[in-house]
Amino acid sequence: MTKISTELFEIAQPVWNLSYQHPFITELAAGKLPLEKFRYYLKQDRYYLEQFGDLHEKIAQLIDNPADKEILLVGANDMHDGELDIRNTMFQEIGITADEIKSTPIAPTAYSYVTHMNYELTNGTTASAVAALLPCYWLYSEIGHRLINAQSPVPIYQEWLDSYASTEFDGGTNQMVQLIDHLSEQADSAERAQIKDSFLKSSNYELNFWQMAYTMENWAG
Ligand SMILES: Cc1ncc(CN)c(N)n1
């Protein structure tokens, strides 16, 4: 049977293409994205990444195979030492304070994305819960590699792009792709459909996340 990762990559292309073309990404690469939109994104993403890291640990608890468990635990740890560290430096560079992060309400789309990942953890299978995490690695890695040579005139934007084209981020992405293939080996057609649905929903939420930041989305009341 075709590896599930091959199918996931194929079905995600239409929605991933919309991410590549989203003004948040094209303006970031061109150095034209207003800084206030990037600041907004970083603050919402801080909340997202914390939840995302916790989810790795919660899913790991459901897995018996030591090598598979390790991929998730290393993923959570690398995120703390890698992506969150880079973000802390960015916060300093553009003056985002701990108080500002604390007092920022979680926006609707960030909330919905995290809710979807938690839903898969509680109601889905281990593989569909991992599938909900995967676009976060894979799409950002694709964006990083497509735009590494953009030479964004805004240093912090290029720094952001560079971090997703790094060997470390590639390593984590490859591990997660292998994990979804391994966890799906015994999946029947109903579970394969569930995995694809979970992956596509997260791919849609990734697109919505750019839009959320670009419009600086807020609750209506
Ligand atoms: C919403 C979101 N998706 C993915 C990533 C890349 N880890 C991120 N930082 N934020």
Side-chain angles (χ1 to χ4, degrees), residues 41 45 48-49 52 79 83 87 113 133 135-137 139-141 160 164 169 205-206 209-210:
Y41 161 84
D45 207 41
Y48 170 87
L49 287 175
F52 181 73
M79 202 198 63
E83 195 170 8
R87 293 303 177 85
Y113 191 177
L133 306 186
C136 175
Y137 285 90
L139 174 65
Y140 271 54
S141 170
W160 185 90
Y164 296 115
F169 200 75
Y205 279 124
E206 288 291 347
F209 211 89
W210 310 127

Side-chain angles (χ1 to χ4, degrees), residues 8 11 116 120 192-202:
L8 294 175
I11 60 171
H116 159 59
E120 290 300 334
R192 283 178 82 92
Q194 200 177 355
I195 293 164
K196 289 182 206 166
D197 180 70
S198 170
F199 184 80
L200 266 186
K201 282 198 170 93
S202 286

Side-chain angles (χ1 to χ4, degrees), residues 35-48:
L35 191 60
E36 59 169 347
K37 297 187 186 210
F38 190 67
R39 284 180 108 260
Y40 173 103
Y41 161 84
L42 287 181
K43 287 187 281 173
Q44 290 299 328
D45 207 41
R46 173 59 174 231
Y47 160 75
Y48 170 87

